[in-house]
């Protein structure tokens, strides 16, 4: 069957200046757009175009954050169909404004769902598709094939939690006899779920298969919940997931301890491709998806690459952002050929060639360049001999390391972070060195409260130890002293010092006493409690609330604040480790951070003034910023960056003589390519040990890694160490082992890891932040 190119795709391809497919390397058609909102807009227009021509067909649409702008654009277009703005938009993409899709004609197919999960929970996909698709797109609920775990195999008097205590499904019941009446009921439900999956598949095929399929792609390449290794002939089924998928789902489900044991119901890869005429689109945004996107588009068909099954569909296409296309070899080469190579482009090519060939950069030869399309292109553009250029790059990289050895004196640092562990996971070993000079001043500004990172179980632990503390004579003495009043700074500092004393003495009781003191102080600030009876009632009420809340549920505002204050307490402990009082730690709690699935953008009147006020009070000479590109990690990082950028512009306008440098850092969510950074900080084994010790003892809410990275099964401190070691190995390859092993400076000889930073003047930082903003701004 021959592929057809729609009018919308034709225009998008023309705008990109690229081909639809670069054969033979690329196996699936690909369209590249400049940013995340543009991606949603294009997919929305392609969906509208398809819907105009395929009334009554079937559609399968994804859940999660990836389709955010797709949902917004489709909803906007359908709701404002007759407006001049929408009419012009449709006409610009070759669509007929006279033909509004009859949305109630379509059959909707839910792609997947966790199992077991109560369908009324806001973090269930059943809830999501009902809210954003059936209601949002005005689809007919009677024509929807949905996965509602609440009704599959259950009688009216049965509940999921009765059948599957603690949400643990025993799949061995598929192949063994039940031993008692309880197992018999579970086996009956399990058999019913399996039958539901077979019937679901049969219903999809009876409708002719899927007409329009839209999906995201997971960190392991999964589509739906068809994880790496899935059979290309798989159909709708109840199945387990892999670690990468569990880590990605941890935020939705309230922690990996929950997602690790949760099964899923998903349509299969064969379900997706059963109809050879299916229009299938995979959306991917951001540089963090670049590796899996390249693997999916360029690989031969294989169970190891779920998306490779789409090669069976002539009308399958990847719609991706420029960042997600970064590692597509032919496409990147074509892109570079159209423009002059910048110094950054050249440095990246030189560096990649050294790493790919496992050679010191000065040992690269012309054959190495000729074997690489990028190296060959670079040779064609170079006007200088190769050896001097390679030597200069080596010298520049060495200088990036040696610059980090320079002492900073009389600096005022404002260390900013979206979340409370971002700074330490990015550059704590360097910060420890900077803090040794007493002429430097340090302030730490956390821009969000980070409440999403605190589980209900962790708060219940605080409630338990606080309830015990209320019964001690010490509590009554402190209450009489007005110790818990939130404005008493000296007492706030004493909480931290008491905890650190207990930590040093390995005294768990003293540490928990300090935790209880701070928790009570938080209750006073939020609720105004004044007596033991009030505290006891509040603790009981909170315990009841938290035990009733399902994991991953959006909390009421006071509980969000309380959870955030636990994270703030951890931040206070972390810097107390190094002698900084709580006055140096600023908790801004910016308003855009709400816990909703689609979070707000920062507001200049609400979110920028607190940062500007801090700048005016602190008068920093160096400001550190989480410098993540579009789509690389939590969107909080990007939003905080834009708020800081706006505040710095206002500050510069008011104080034009102020000299500020910006240090852009990255951590476990995304990392610099060596060519992008200009300050390489050596990290010793001692520095890694300090980072681990501080993380596990200060960030107790994260010690069990409830919300880990898909790259590493464990606490983020372990992943940070892994990244630092990898970055050292890169530099050891580029510069050679002798530079490290025989260096006259013991600090270089002891290096076993590297931290990469990007040091910028304000104007350069503003330029980069504007470029990043273009990648996410609403067009």
């Amino acid at each position: 069957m021959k592929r057809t190119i729609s009018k919308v795709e034709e225009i998008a391809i023309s705008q990109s200046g690229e081909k639809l497919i670069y054969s033979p390397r690329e196996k699936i058609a690909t369209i590249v757009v400049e940013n995340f909102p543009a991606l949603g807009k294009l997919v929305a227009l392609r969906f509208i175009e398809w819907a105009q021509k395929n009334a009554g067909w079937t559609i399968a649409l994804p859940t999660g954050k990836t389709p955010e702008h797709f949902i917004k654009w489709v909803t906007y277009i359908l709701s404002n169909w007759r407006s001049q703005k929408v009419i012009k938009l449709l006409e610009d993409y070759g669509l007929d404004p006279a033909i509004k899709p009859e949305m109630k004609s379509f059959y909707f197919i839910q792609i997947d769902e966790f199992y077991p999960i109560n369908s009324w929970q806001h973090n269930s996909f059943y809830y999501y598709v009902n809210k954003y698709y059936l209601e949002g797109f005005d689809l007919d609920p009677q024509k929807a094939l949905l996965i509602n775990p609440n009704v599959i195999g259950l009688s009216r008097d049965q509940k999921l939690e009765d059948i599957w205590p603690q949400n643990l499904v025993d799949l061995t019941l598929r192949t063994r006899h039940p031993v008692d009446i309880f197992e018999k009921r579970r086996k009956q439900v399990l058999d019913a779920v399996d039958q539901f999956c077979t019937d679901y598949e049969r219903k999809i095929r009876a409708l002719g298969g899927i007409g329009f399929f839209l999906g995201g792609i997971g960190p392991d390449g999964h589509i739906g919940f068809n994880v790496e290794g899935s059979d290309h002939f798989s159909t709708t089924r109840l199945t387990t997931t892999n670690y990468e998928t569990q880590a990605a789902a941890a935020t939705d489900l309230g922690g990996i301890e929950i997602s690790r044991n949760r099964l899923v119901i998903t349509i299969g890869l064969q379900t997706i491709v059963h109809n050879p005429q299916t229009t299938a689109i995979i959306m991917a945004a951001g540089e963090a998806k670049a590796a899996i996107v390249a693997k999916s588009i360029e690989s031969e068909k294989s169970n190891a690459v779920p998306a490779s099954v789409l090669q069976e569909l002539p009308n399958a296409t990847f719609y991706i952002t420029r960042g997600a296309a970064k590692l597509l070899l032919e496409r990147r080469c074509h892109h570079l050929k159209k423009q002059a190579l910048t110094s950054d482009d050249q440095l990246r090519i030189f560096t990649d060639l050294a790493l790919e060939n496992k050679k010191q950069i000065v040992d690269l030869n012309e054959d190495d360049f000729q074997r690489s399309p990028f190296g060959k292109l670079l040779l064609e553009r170079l006007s200088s001999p190769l050896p001097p250029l390679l030597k200069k790059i080596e010298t520049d990289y060495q200088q990036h390391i040696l610059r980090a050895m320079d002492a900073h004196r009389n600096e005022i640092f404002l260390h900013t972070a979206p979340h409370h562990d971002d700074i330490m996971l990015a550059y704590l070993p360097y910060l420890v060195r900077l803090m040794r000079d007493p002429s430097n001043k340090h302030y730490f500004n956390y821009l969000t409260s980070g409440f999403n990172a605190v589980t209900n179980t962790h708060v219940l632990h605080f409630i338990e130890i606080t309830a015990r503390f209320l019964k001690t004579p010490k509590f009554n003495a402190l209450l009489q002293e007005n110790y818990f009043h939130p404005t008493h700074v000296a007492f706030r500092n004493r909480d931290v010092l008491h905890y650190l004393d207990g930590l040093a003495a390995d005294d768990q009781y003293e540490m928990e006493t300090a935790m209880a003191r701070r928790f009570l102080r938080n209750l006073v600030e939020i609720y105004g409690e004044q007596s033991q009876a009030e505290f006891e009632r509040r603790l009981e009420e909170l315990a009841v609330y938290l035990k009733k809340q399902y994991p991953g549920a959006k909390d009421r505002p006071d509980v969000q604040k309380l959870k955030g204050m636990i994270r703030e307490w951890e931040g206070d402990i972390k810097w107390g480790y190094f002698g900084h009082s709580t006055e140096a730690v600023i908790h801004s709690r910016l308003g855009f951070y709400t816990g909703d699935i689609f979070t707000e953008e920062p507001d200049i009147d609400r979110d920028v003034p607190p940062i500007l006020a801090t700048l005016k009070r602190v008068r920093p000479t160096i400001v550190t910023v989480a410098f993540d590109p579009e789509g690389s990690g939590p969107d909080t990082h990007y939003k905080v960056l834009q708020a800081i950028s706006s505040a710095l512009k206002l500050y510069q306008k008011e104080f034009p003589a102020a000299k500020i440098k910006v240090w852009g850092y990255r951590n476990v969510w995304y990392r610099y390519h060596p060519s992008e950074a200009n300050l390489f900080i050596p990290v010793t084994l001692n520095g890694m040990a300090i980072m681990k010790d501080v993380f596990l003892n200060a960030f107790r809410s994260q010690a069990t890694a409830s919300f880990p990275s898909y790259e590493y099964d464990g606490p983020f401190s372990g992943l940070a160490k892994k990244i630092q070691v990898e970055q050292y190995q890169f530099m050891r390859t580029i510069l050679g082992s002798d530079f490290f092993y025989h260096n006259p400076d013991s600090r270089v000889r002891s290096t076993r890891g590297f931290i990469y930073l990007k040091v910028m003047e304000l104007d350069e930082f503003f330029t980069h932040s504007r470029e990043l903003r273009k990648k996410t701004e609403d067009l």
Side-chain angles (χ1 to χ4, degrees):
M1 185 180 297
K2 188 177 180 182
R3 182 195 170 90
T4 58
I5 300 178
S6 77
K7 189 66 178 176
V8 168
E9 290 179 327
E10 186 180 306
I11 292 170
I13 294 166
S14 174
Q15 290 173 345
S16 73
E18 299 176 0
K19 295 179 183 178
L20 181 64
I21 189 167
Y22 287 84
S23 298
R25 188 173 188 88
E26 294 182 356
K27 310 299 189 299
I28 302 175
T30 303
I31 296 176
V32 180
V33 299
E34 290 303 318
N35 55 56
F36 189 25
L39 177 65
K41 176 182 179 182
L42 179 63
V43 176
L45 288 164
R46 178 69 186 102
F47 173 69
I48 294 293
E49 179 184 41
W50 179 90
Q52 286 181 326
K53 300 175 182 179
N54 293 278
W57 249 107
T58 54
I59 57 176
L61 304 175
T63 54
K65 291 193 175 183
T66 300
E68 174 182 1
H69 292 283
F70 164 75
I71 291 169
K72 288 179 178 178
W73 274 107
V74 171
T75 304
Y76 171 76
I77 291 170
L78 293 174
S79 301
N80 299 276
W81 188 267
R82 299 189 184 282
S83 71
Q84 288 303 309
K85 188 174 180 180
V86 168
I87 289 172
K88 184 178 186 308
L89 174 63
L90 296 171
E91 290 176 340
D92 286 346
Y93 280 84
L95 304 184
D96 187 351
I99 306 174
K100 184 177 181 180
E102 179 48 60
M103 299 305 295
K104 290 192 181 299
S105 73
F106 295 106
Y107 290 85
F108 179 85
I109 297 169
Q110 185 176 338
I111 295 172
D112 47 24
E113 181 59 279
F114 297 112
Y115 187 85
I117 190 170
N118 281 310
S119 57
W120 50 262
Q121 292 182 192
H122 289 203
N123 56 350
S124 75
F125 294 159
Y126 179 87
Y127 177 89
Y128 185 109
V129 300
N130 271 278
K131 178 177 180 178
Y132 293 111
Y133 293 135
L134 300 189
E135 181 182 338
F137 289 9
D138 195 28
L139 299 170
D140 185 352
Q142 299 303 314
K143 293 182 177 179
L145 295 184
L146 301 179
I147 305 170
N148 182 354
N150 284 6
V151 299
I152 302 174
L154 301 179
S155 61
R156 287 188 177 182
D157 61 339
Q158 288 179 325
K159 296 180 181 178
L160 278 170
E161 51 266 36
D162 298 331
I163 301 298
W164 308 116
Q166 300 178 323
N167 292 312
L168 297 175
V169 178
D170 185 359
L171 289 179
T172 68
L173 286 169
R174 278 175 168 163
T175 55
R176 67 176 176 85
H177 289 293
V179 299
D180 55 32
I181 188 65
F182 301 106
E183 283 202 346
K184 183 177 181 180
R185 289 175 186 167
R186 290 169 194 155
K187 181 173 176 57
Q188 288 171 345
V189 173
L190 184 58
D191 289 344
V193 172
D194 287 337
Q195 186 62 49
F196 168 86
C197 292
T198 300
D199 294 342
Y200 198 79
E201 182 77 19
R202 185 181 295 113
K203 290 174 184 177
I204 294 172
R205 296 192 180 204
L207 291 169
I210 298 173
F212 185 94
F213 176 86
L214 176 62
I217 188 164
D220 66 325
H222 70 246
I223 301 173
F225 276 125
N226 295 284
V227 300
E228 182 180 5
S230 293
D231 186 347
H232 283 201
F233 291 97
S234 57
T235 56
T236 304
R237 64 206 183 279
L238 173 69
T239 185
T240 58
T241 58
N242 56 9
Y243 171 75
E244 291 86 350
T245 303
Q246 293 159 9
T251 302
D252 292 328
L253 292 177
I256 196 167
E257 56 272 17
I258 297 165
S259 62
R260 199 186 292 274
N261 296 312
R262 197 64 58 93
L263 304 182
V264 293
I265 296 173
T266 181
I267 63 173
L269 294 176
Q270 187 58 215
T271 317
I272 297 170
V273 301
H274 170 71
N275 170 20
Q277 297 179 335
T278 296
T279 294
I281 294 174
I282 300 297
M283 299 175 69
E287 294 182 27
K289 289 288 178 72
I292 192 60
V293 163
K295 187 177 180 181
S296 299
I297 293 172
E298 296 179 347
S299 293
E300 299 293 337
K301 283 201 289 186
S302 163
N303 284 8
V305 185
S308 64
V309 74
L310 297 178
Q311 294 175 32
E312 297 182 16
L313 295 177
N315 292 318
T317 315
F318 269 74
Y319 282 45
I320 60 179
T321 64
R322 182 67 59 192
K326 194 172 186 177
L327 297 182
L328 291 172
L329 187 66
E330 292 292 338
R331 210 165 280 269
R332 182 179 163 217
C333 198
H334 171 79
H335 190 67
L336 290 175
K337 283 179 180 178
K338 294 192 303 179
Q339 60 190 41
L341 291 180
T342 66
S343 58
D344 290 343
D345 292 330
Q346 293 181 27
L347 182 56
R348 179 181 283 269
I349 293 171
F350 280 125
T351 304
D352 285 343
L353 278 174
L355 295 173
E356 288 164 11
N357 288 281
K358 296 182 172 57
K359 282 186 173 183
Q360 283 184 235
I361 204 154
V362 293
D363 291 339
L364 290 172
N365 56 49
E366 191 165 326
D367 288 344
D368 298 323
F369 284 82
Q370 292 291 352
R371 285 194 298 269
S372 162
F374 301 105
K376 194 172 182 180
L377 175 62
L378 181 55
L379 279 184
E380 294 170 359
R381 304 280 183 90
L382 288 178
S383 57
S384 304
L386 199 55
L389 281 174
L390 295 174
K391 184 62 180 176
K392 181 181 184 306
I393 293 170
E394 179 188 60
T395 301
D396 287 346
Y397 273 137
Q398 290 173 349
Q399 288 302 312
H400 292 344
I401 296 170
L402 297 176
R403 278 178 59 204
M405 306 298 181
D406 295 339
H408 285 272
R409 294 186 55 79
N410 299 307
E411 300 280 13
I412 302 174
F413 289 89
L414 177 61
H415 306 275
T416 73
H419 306 103
H420 290 77
D421 54 5
D422 285 328
I423 294 170
M424 72 167 303
L425 295 172
Y427 61 97
L428 182 67
Y430 191 38
L431 184 47
V432 170
R433 194 184 311 163
L434 295 169
M435 288 189 291
R436 288 175 184 151
D437 191 318
S439 71
N440 294 322
K441 293 183 179 180
H442 297 272
Y443 298 89
F444 310 92
N445 190 186
Y446 295 107
L447 281 306
T448 73
S449 71
F451 56 77
N452 279 331
V454 180
T455 65
N456 294 345
T457 301
H458 192 67
V459 184
L460 286 168
H461 176 61
F462 266 85
I463 290 173
E464 178 188 344
I465 63 175
T466 304
R468 290 201 306 266
F469 179 65
L470 288 178
K471 296 178 171 58
T472 64
K474 185 63 177 176
F475 161 73
N476 284 311
L478 292 174
L479 190 62
Q480 295 302 316
E481 194 180 349
N482 203 20
Y483 179 89
F484 304 109
H485 197 282
T487 62
H488 287 178
V489 176
F491 291 157
R492 289 180 66 84
N493 286 328
R494 198 182 297 178
D495 296 341
V496 175
L497 297 173
H498 196 86
Y499 180 90
L500 294 172
D501 286 343
L503 179 61
D506 289 326
D507 189 331
Q508 186 69 23
Y509 176 80
E510 290 302 316
M511 292 165 65
E512 291 186 347
T513 297
M515 293 165 64
R517 291 182 181 189
R518 178 54 66 91
F519 196 70
L520 289 170
R521 188 182 311 283
N522 295 341
L523 295 182
V524 173
E525 181 175 332
I526 298 172
Y527 304 107
E529 315 295 20
Q530 297 294 330
S531 68
Q532 180 172 349
E534 288 176 323
F535 281 130
E536 288 175 344
R537 282 195 296 270
R538 183 62 62 186
L539 292 176
E540 184 178 352
E541 184 270 329
L542 286 169
V544 170
Y545 167 83
L546 290 166
K547 289 173 182 177
K548 287 183 177 179
Q549 282 287 88
Y550 59 84
K554 182 179 178 180
D555 287 309
R556 67 194 196 204
D558 61 302
V559 177
Q560 286 183 344
K561 186 174 181 179
L562 185 62
K563 287 184 173 183
M565 293 169 90
I566 290 174
R567 289 291 272 160
E568 292 167 0
W569 157 247
E570 293 176 339
D572 290 348
I573 292 171
K574 176 178 60 177
W575 301 122
Y577 243 84
F578 303 101
H580 295 284
S581 66
T582 59
E583 295 96 311
V585 189
I586 304 151
H587 303 292
S588 294
R589 305 175 188 171
L590 297 189
F592 76 83
Y593 186 81
T594 61
D596 293 316
I597 186 168
F598 300 144
T599 58
E600 300 177 35
E601 293 295 321
D603 183 271
I604 194 166
D605 295 322
R606 177 192 61 196
D607 299 316
V608 173
I611 306 172
L612 180 59
T614 297
L615 290 169
K616 289 180 179 180
R617 179 170 68 85
V618 171
R619 300 294 180 95
T621 57
I622 295 174
V623 177
T624 71
V625 181
F627 203 64
D628 281 350
E630 162 251 349
S632 67
D635 60 359
T636 310
H637 286 209
Y638 163 76
K639 291 172 180 176
V640 163
L641 182 148
Q642 291 304 327
I644 293 171
S645 179
S646 297
L648 280 169
K649 287 177 186 176
L650 293 172
Y651 181 79
Q652 185 187 48
K653 186 175 181 180
E654 191 169 346
F655 303 98
K659 300 296 183 184
I660 296 178
K661 288 188 184 298
V662 174
W663 291 2
Y665 65 83
R666 292 178 183 169
N667 52 32
V668 295
W669 296 109
Y670 196 69
R671 58 221 63 166
Y672 283 114
H673 186 277
S675 65
E676 296 175 310
N678 55 19
L679 188 65
F680 296 177
I681 296 98
V683 182
T684 65
L685 289 171
N686 181 56
M688 295 175 189
I690 291 173
M691 177 181 66
K692 178 182 178 180
D693 187 74
V694 175
F695 185 88
L696 294 180
N697 286 309
F699 290 100
R700 294 175 72 107
S701 68
Q702 307 304 301
T704 56
S706 289
F707 305 98
S709 165
Y710 65 87
E711 294 183 74
Y712 183 82
D713 190 357
F716 279 128
S717 54
L719 178 55
K721 176 185 176 182
K722 177 175 177 287
I723 292 168
Q724 290 167 9
V725 172
E726 287 173 355
Q727 293 179 163
Y728 160 69
Q729 291 168 343
F730 290 162
M731 296 316 301
R732 192 180 63 187
T733 298
I734 292 168
L735 299 179
S737 298
D738 285 351
F739 175 78
F740 295 97
Y741 296 165
H742 305 297
N743 199 288
D745 193 324
S746 63
R747 294 171 297 179
V748 178
R749 293 198 305 273
S750 63
T751 299
R752 295 297 176 269
F754 266 111
I755 292 165
Y756 297 162
L757 297 179
K758 185 173 183 63
V759 180
M760 297 166 278
E761 301 291 342
L762 273 180
D763 287 346
E764 183 184 359
F765 170 67
F766 292 148
T767 299
H768 283 293
S769 64
R770 279 196 299 271
E771 289 173 356
L772 291 177
R773 182 166 188 167
K774 288 177 184 177
K775 293 182 178 181
T776 51
E777 65 187 357
D778 192 337
L779 302 183

